[in-house]
Amino acid sequence: MKILVPVKRVVDYNVKVRVKADQSGVELANVKMAMNPFDEIAIEEAVRMKEAGVASEVVAVSCGVAQCQETLRTAMAIGADRGILVSTDAELQPLAVAKLLKALCDKESPDLIILGKQAIDDDANQTGQMLAALMNLPQATFASKVTVAEGKVSVMREIDGGLETISMHMPAVITTDLRLNEPRYATLPNIMKAKKKPLETVTPDALGVDVAARLTTVKVLEPAGRSAGVMVADVAQLVDKLKNEAKVI
Amino acid sequence: MPILVIAEHDKAGLKAATRNTVAAARALDGELHVLVAGADCAGACAATAALEGVSKVLCADAAHYTDQGAENIAALIVSVAGAGGYSHLLAPATTFGKNVMPRVAALLDVAQVSEIVAIDSADTFVRPIYAGNALATVKSSDAVKVITVRTTAFDPVGDGGAASIEPITAGPDLALSTLVSRELTQSERPELGAASVIVSGGRGLGSGENYHAILEPLADTLGAALGASRAAVDAGFVPNDYQVGQTGKIVAPQLYLAIGISGAIQHLAGMKDSKVIVAINKDPEAPIFQIADYGLVADLFDAIPALNAAL
């Protein structure tokens, strides 16, 4: 069984982003970048399935600028067998990424595609569902447990108000939630080994995909700040403030 | 051109998020229709017809919509969208809407605008990015706008409408996936997304037993919903659906009590639009105090029972 895992290069989750003064976006120069945390969970899950003998090959894919190769090397250090970079300097929106991934899936024919549920930069939460739609495949978003048995995959999903489990034929698309697993730290030997793993580069043109943006960013603003309020000395003062000043209780 | 809202419901009635989504749709110009897809969903249709501002309810009643699976519902929405010539398709940015709408957008070959918090014009919307640390205004060039709505940004519509209910033909059952089981947390408390008061606990509570023993009496007194930080959920204090934050629930109650929560940016992203925020933490340096209206540096194991007694 082959698993394809798309990974995105994003601003590291510890970085507090700043909006650019010209309102054109957020400051990305000299900002630490990393793999999207949900994609790390996706890679980890695929690698665990390979280690358990369920999967035979894990292919990592990244779409974007040349530096996404670093993200692919990280994926390979966790345990992906090879990487594919869809190289472009164009701004990629979820629909375009889903189309690129579909083109790759048509070539690679994976049995499972595991993606992060959302990227922590644009917070769109779309690509997995879009890919599933374009390929007419079943989807299980927000996965917290994945089990493969007898040609079917069963996924426990985190939904508002609880959990549900669905069963799908493969191929299928899964998107990961936070509690699916805890990704390992890549060890130095594995980081070294990852440098020797195959990494193929393709272009959107070669895949025949139009990646033109459908949404134009008009402006990006800093949200209205919330200023710190007052510190109260004790519970009695807090109750008084809530009753008489804020009037919320 | 008419506008279509996709209702989130539980057959008998509407989920609160549908009311906020209808409110967002009313900010657009066009006749407002709501699609209710489900099985035996007459109750939900009736509740939808009573919503303020809705002129027509489209009711697709079929067994294969029972589970609200994304594949069948998305296919139905696409066919309804094509037949009705809708300019906008809106659903709440709940796990239901997030699951279904990108599928709809891809099938229509249009972009989706996720989690809008404001509407500038028919094609221009404001949405948070980077966990709410920036607000992007985006303009869509697509003919149909597929949108999910951050419910906390729009005040829910009330009742007072008298829309017609029109049964529509269900689409085929694609049979791509089957629901095996669903375990919903049973609770007498208000829904987290719709509560006016939320008592939320973090790692500072130390254990699941403490979480329940300390916070539940206070939540009972205040008629509040219970929430949690990711740290508390990861530590197993409470189930995942309690999580407030960038990737959990986004809430904006009248009063948010953050208890033993340090205030990671991912948590703040989920609650910083609350009207009044109270933080109780023993660490005076906790970042939560930077956004709290009222901060109390205290041991929560003393302060919370005292607060409950004082109320």
Side-chain angles (χ1 to χ4, degrees):
Chain A
M1 187 176 93
K2 189 198 272 191
I3 307 179
L4 190 120
V5 183
V7 293
K8 187 176 184 182
R9 178 177 182 264
V10 299
V11 171
D12 186 273
Y13 78 99
N14 285 311
V15 172
K16 170 123 172 50
V17 297
R18 306 226 169 273
V19 171
K20 283 186 190 169
D22 68 359
Q23 302 186 351
S24 63
V26 302
E27 198 54 72
L28 294 178
N30 304 316
V31 168
K32 187 182 175 212
M33 305 295 280
M35 188 191 296
N36 180 43
F38 289 101
D39 304 351
E40 231 176 306
I41 294 172
I43 280 283
E44 175 68 33
E45 191 66 16
V47 170
R48 285 187 192 187
M49 286 165 87
K50 190 182 170 192
E51 288 166 349
V54 178
S56 51
E57 189 185 23
V58 177
V59 184
V61 177
S62 194
C63 304
V65 294
Q67 290 91 322
C68 294
Q69 287 183 35
E70 295 160 19
T71 317
L72 287 169
R73 293 291 174 203
T74 307
M76 290 189 273
I78 294 171
D81 297 292
R82 59 189 171 95
I84 304 173
L85 170 67
V86 183
S87 177
T88 174
D89 290 336
E91 182 209 339
L92 293 176
Q93 292 176 354
L95 182 62
V97 175
K99 288 179 178 178
L100 292 170
L101 294 175
K102 177 182 186 297
L104 284 175
C105 287
D106 288 345
K107 290 211 295 193
E108 295 278 343
S109 309
D111 302 282
L112 272 184
I113 305 124
I114 311 182
L115 306 87
K117 75 165 179 180
Q118 82 191 60
I120 58 165
D121 51 3
D122 62 14
D123 283 331
N125 196 331
Q126 299 174 8
T127 308
Q129 297 89 312
M130 286 182 155
L131 174 64
L134 295 176
M135 299 190 67
N136 194 29
L137 293 181
Q139 70 182 47
T141 50
F142 324 139
S144 67
K145 191 175 177 208
V146 176
T147 320
V148 173
E150 293 158 8
K152 283 190 164 187
V153 57
S154 138
V155 179
M156 186 187 276
R157 305 180 55 229
E158 299 196 4
I159 55 170
D160 292 335
L163 293 165
E164 70 174 27
T165 302
I166 61 173
S167 169
M168 308 183 285
H169 287 286
M170 292 192 280
V173 173
I174 296 171
T175 77
T176 62
D177 217 316
L178 284 172
R179 278 162 285 275
L180 181 57
N181 60 50
E182 252 182 70
R184 71 195 69 184
Y185 288 101
T187 60
L188 188 59
N190 284 337
I191 293 171
M192 299 311 288
K193 236 194 277 177
K195 291 185 177 168
K196 296 200 180 75
K197 290 184 178 175
L199 197 163
E200 178 194 347
T201 301
V202 294
T203 63
D205 277 349
L207 294 171
V209 174
D210 173 13
V211 296
R214 304 294 188 83
L215 301 177
T216 324
T217 300
V218 180
K219 62 183 174 196
V220 175
L221 299 178
E222 196 101 32
R226 213 187 157 103
S227 47
V230 296
M231 298 303 287
V232 294
D234 52 29
V235 167
Q237 199 189 351
L238 175 62
V239 172
D240 175 63
K241 293 270 189 195
L242 290 176
K243 278 194 170 143
N244 301 317
E245 193 175 271
K247 296 188 170 65
V248 285
I249 52 174
Chain B
M1 279 156 71
I3 291 158
L4 186 69
V5 166
I6 320 304
E8 183 172 355
H9 64 90
D10 57 9
K11 290 185 195 184
L14 284 176
K15 293 285 183 71
T18 305
R19 292 180 178 273
N20 307 85
T21 310
V22 167
R26 289 187 80 195
L28 295 159
D29 199 16
E31 199 180 301
L32 182 52
H33 300 176
V34 179
L35 172 65
V36 179
D40 306 318
C41 54
C45 288
T48 308
L51 291 181
E52 213 179 323
V54 175
S55 64
K56 188 155 68 171
V57 179
L58 305 174
C59 174
D61 200 317
H64 56 275
Y65 298 135
T66 311
D67 305 334
Q68 303 285 297
E71 299 86 352
N72 282 332
I73 303 258
L76 173 71
I77 296 169
V78 169
S79 84
V80 171
Y86 292 100
S87 60
H88 297 74
L89 311 175
L90 300 97
T94 52
T95 52
F96 164 75
K98 288 173 179 175
N99 193 34
V100 171
M101 294 311 267
R103 214 169 158 107
V104 173
L107 292 172
L108 293 172
D109 192 26
V110 302
Q112 173 179 299
V113 188
S114 295
E115 298 224 18
I116 63 163
V117 295
I119 296 172
D120 276 8
S121 71
D123 63 2
T124 307
F125 311 92
V126 182
R127 58 178 305 266
I129 54 174
Y130 291 95
N133 286 305
L135 285 173
T137 302
V138 296
K139 187 180 162 90
S140 166
S141 59
D142 289 315
V144 179
K145 277 75 177 167
V146 174
I147 293 167
T148 61
V149 175
R150 179 167 290 188
T151 53
T152 53
F154 298 89
D155 290 333
V157 295
D159 291 338
S164 59
I165 300 175
E166 186 180 303
I168 60 166
T169 316
D173 182 2
L174 302 174
L176 286 171
S177 65
T178 45
L179 180 72
V180 178
S181 63
R182 188 176 283 169
E183 302 148 42
L184 297 180
T185 311
Q186 298 299 329
S187 173
E188 298 295 308
R189 297 179 199 288
E191 211 181 309
L192 194 49
S196 63
V197 180
I198 294 175
V199 174
S200 202
R203 204 198 315 254
L205 284 148
S207 72
E209 291 78 53
N210 288 343
Y211 178 98
H212 294 291
I214 301 283
L215 297 191
E216 275 178 3
L218 180 62
D220 288 340
T221 305
L222 291 167
L226 283 169
S229 67
R230 179 185 169 186
V233 176
D234 283 354
F237 298 179
V238 287
N240 60 281
D241 55 305
Y242 279 50
Q243 187 182 326
V244 171
Q246 178 186 18
T247 64
K249 295 245 182 11
I250 311 284
V251 299
Q254 293 292 306
L255 174 61
Y256 187 93
L257 293 124
I259 296 159
I261 291 176
S262 64
I265 52 174
Q266 288 82 4
H267 184 75
L268 304 187
M271 45 64 83
K272 68 183 165 59
D273 293 325
S274 305
K275 187 162 173 279
V276 174
I277 297 173
V278 172
I280 300 175
N281 201 304
K282 67 178 176 197
D283 175 12
E285 303 299 321
I288 191 81
F289 287 124
Q290 289 163 23
I291 63 144
D293 298 286
Y294 303 109
L296 174 61
V297 178
D299 185 338
L300 64 91
F301 295 101
D302 300 328
I304 303 307
L307 175 60
N308 193 32
L311 294 170

